[in-house]
Amino acid sequence: MSQDLFQAPDYYQLDELLSEEHILVRDAAREWVKREVSPIIEDAAQQAKFPTSIISGLAEIGAFGPYIPEEYGGAGLDQISYGLIMQEIERGDSGVRSTASVQSSLVMYPIWKYGNEEQKQKYLPKLASGEYLGCFGLTEPDHGSNPGGMVTNIKDMGDHYLLNGAKMWISNAPFADIAVVWAKNEEGRIKGLIVERGMEGFTTPETHNKWSLRASATGELIFDNVKIPKENILPNKDGLGAPLGCLDSARYGIAWGAIGAAMDCYDTALRYAKERIQFDKPIAATQLQQKKLAEMITEITKAQLLTWRLGTLRNDGKATSAQISMAKRNNVEMALTIAREARQVLGAMGITGEYSIMRHMMNLESVITYEGTHDIHLLITGLDITGLPAFK
Ligand SMILES: Cc1cc2nc3c(=O)[nH]c(=O)nc-3n(C[C@H](O)[C@H](O)[C@H](O)COP(=O)(O)OP(=O)(O)OC[C@H]3O[C@@H](n4cnc5c(N)ncnc54)[C@H](O)[C@@H]3O)c2cc1C
């Protein structure tokens, strides 16, 4: 890949809305991405290999549990700092951001919010330091948008539970040390449980041949009469609301992350358009390319404002799930549209690994589907404003 010359756009001087701490945290993440992610990410994606070399760095910049209290090894930051870290990481690659999102919002968050003190002490510091990597098993082969229909189940055997079923499309599955898994008990109630690698009957085959998120490992979780100790059940919340609470936190991070991918595509296209000469002038001097670039910066700026406001609402504990859905949906579509337009600005060069745009574009095809599809988030907004569910 060409040298990373990224310069972040801030068209509405939004840095003025950030605290000194926000800027410090963001700049540390930005520098780390330039130093450690940009030089290796294209190769990792081409080879479809998760770059394990970045795990310790993700821990150091606070990407594993940014808002988890320091007593459990987290960074103890607010929601804006969390968002900014996700933005910077996804500026590098959505797959790397996915690893951080899963670890923080889908593994550490449920243990922190729904776990008991022993579970928090046992797992959170190791997850925060990157000694353990986790994954989150909600989606099943026959239950994607409708996770409430899940068939993975636990049976109470007296001194332990017996877990059976399968999860699919699970980020980090092939190498995760632990999995936070959602399964129905005999009463049909959804419970969260911690499954550890090495438990008999638990396997995690990798999903191959993805054209998207190639630097992030995806796999299945298969449970064949796995004995789960009773102390591995998350005791403090059950029902579908428990996994959905985790998804709120992850979707919020995605809303910020998508801005990072969009900023990278815009910045690359702007620089290229000013340098690329056709018909004796830079293509940036043509009205058609200016239209593309002007629309990109407009959409990025709108997304930045939407997301910053959502962060302040989350800091005050006032953001609703529907508000988070709106931001996730808007920003991912915005980023994907910008990636597609930016790709065209680069002409043939845009399809090569010399530039990050095509990788972002392919990655965003997953991001627009996972953590609730583009359609489902629209239907959540529809439900919120009409009070009438159109999807169930
Ligand atoms: C790379 C990757 C990583 C992932 N990581 C994880 C992970 O770590 N953990 C995890 O649990 N899951 C993960 N997922 C799964 C992801 O969350 C699901 O793919 C997603 O929820 C959609 O489910 P589905 O693919 O089964 O699609 P479906 O639910 O089958 O949907 C197919 C299409 O139908 C539409 N549709 C569905 N229902 C309705 C309706 N009622 N009205 C209108 N349209 C509808 C959808 O919008 C979509 O367009 C990952 C997926 C990918 C691609």
Side-chain angles (χ1 to χ4, degrees):
M1 198 172 97
S2 325
Q3 202 193 344
D4 184 352
L5 301 169
F6 177 67
Q7 286 189 326
D10 183 14
Y11 200 70
Y12 262 40
Q13 296 158 33
L14 295 174
D15 270 13
E16 289 178 11
L17 298 173
L18 303 179
S19 69
E20 235 172 79
E21 181 175 70
H22 294 148
I23 291 177
L24 273 173
V25 165
R26 183 201 58 197
D27 289 353
R30 187 169 289 171
E31 278 311 304
W32 177 77
V33 167
K34 260 197 180 174
R35 207 177 52 244
E36 304 290 338
V37 178
S38 299
I40 55 124
I41 196 62
E42 183 60 34
D43 196 42
Q46 292 278 2
Q47 294 187 38
K49 270 202 181 138
F50 172 69
T52 46
S53 63
I54 59 168
I55 293 172
S56 58
L58 281 169
E60 274 161 33
I61 61 165
F64 291 158
Y67 51 82
I68 302 283
E70 287 170 286
E71 59 176 308
Y72 298 119
L77 297 167
D78 76 348
Q79 291 289 311
I80 302 273
S81 286
Y82 160 42
L84 288 165
I85 293 174
M86 295 300 121
Q87 171 188 287
E88 294 306 317
I89 298 176
E90 193 147 1
R91 204 282 294 174
D93 188 78
S94 305
V96 179
R97 199 268 309 135
S98 299
T99 297
S101 287
V102 168
Q103 182 90 339
S104 299
S105 293
L106 302 181
V107 179
M108 296 177 74
Y109 179 91
I111 295 174
W112 173 47
K113 283 285 177 187
Y114 315 145
N116 58 32
E117 197 51 38
E118 293 82 69
Q119 292 167 336
K120 291 184 212 184
Q121 298 287 353
K122 180 172 175 190
Y123 296 108
L124 291 179
K126 287 187 171 145
L127 290 161
S129 69
E131 183 183 340
Y132 276 5
L133 276 184
C135 68
F136 174 88
L138 180 65
T139 305
E140 298 188 352
D142 294 329
H143 299 94
S145 298
N146 175 26
M150 70 174 66
V151 293
T152 297
N153 62 87
I154 46 171
K155 250 191 202 145
D156 193 339
M157 307 301 283
D159 62 338
H160 65 272
Y161 288 99
L162 216 49
L163 171 66
N164 278 290
K167 301 287 178 179
M168 199 175 177
W169 299 114
I170 308 304
S171 303
N172 299 356
F175 50 77
D177 300 285
I178 64 168
V180 169
V181 173
W182 302 93
K184 281 185 180 161
N185 67 13
E186 285 142 300
E187 288 78 49
R189 190 84 186 147
I190 294 173
K191 306 286 284 184
L193 43 135
I194 302 164
V195 183
E196 297 180 17
R197 183 169 297 283
M199 287 179 168
E200 212 180 318
F202 173 42
T203 48
T204 60
E206 184 159 0
T207 303
H208 294 289
N209 299 331
K210 290 181 302 169
W211 283 108
S212 175
L213 290 188
R214 287 170 61 83
S216 155
T218 313
E220 294 168 60
L221 305 176
I222 297 174
F223 315 109
D224 180 11
N225 283 322
V226 184
K227 272 188 180 177
I228 305 292
K230 290 214 156 162
E231 65 261 25
N232 282 31
I233 300 285
L234 298 175
N236 295 332
K237 191 165 167 95
D238 55 16
L240 191 58
L244 293 185
C246 308
L247 291 176
D248 268 359
S249 175
R251 290 165 177 171
Y252 167 75
I254 293 172
W256 281 91
I259 297 176
M263 291 198 310
D264 198 45
C265 293
Y266 163 75
D267 179 59
T268 304
L270 177 62
R271 190 171 308 106
Y272 189 89
K274 289 202 268 191
E275 288 169 3
R276 176 70 177 163
I277 309 291
Q278 287 296 290
F279 301 99
D280 303 322
K281 63 178 186 183
I283 58 169
T286 66
Q287 288 186 357
L288 281 176
Q289 304 315 317
Q290 286 192 6
K291 175 174 186 289
K292 290 191 182 93
L293 294 164
E295 285 176 353
M296 285 181 209
I297 191 62
T298 306
E299 291 307 314
I300 289 171
T301 304
K302 282 153 66 179
Q304 285 172 324
L305 282 161
L306 179 77
T307 313
W308 177 83
R309 173 61 183 150
L310 186 63
T312 64
L313 287 173
R314 269 181 77 80
N315 275 343
D316 294 343
K318 290 196 296 200
T320 65
S321 300
Q323 287 169 334
I324 295 167
S325 281
M326 181 184 280
K328 190 265 184 186
R329 181 174 188 276
N330 180 78
N331 291 9
V332 178
E333 186 183 43
M334 172 280 297
L336 193 48
T337 305
I338 286 179
R340 288 171 179 154
E341 291 287 302
R343 218 283 308 142
Q344 291 190 60
V345 174
L346 269 68
M349 284 310 287
I351 70 154
T352 72
E354 274 296 294
Y355 295 90
S356 54
I357 295 175
M358 189 86 178
R359 179 166 43 78
H360 282 306
M361 189 169 104
M362 309 274 270
N363 284 341
L364 288 161
E365 290 291 346
S366 284
V367 181
I368 204 164
T369 286
Y370 72 18
E371 308 259 1
T373 68
H374 196 59
D375 295 330
I376 294 294
H377 286 299
L378 177 105
L379 296 173
I380 290 172
T381 305
L383 166 63
D384 196 45
I385 58 177
T386 64
L388 303 167
F391 55 99
K392 51 186 174 184

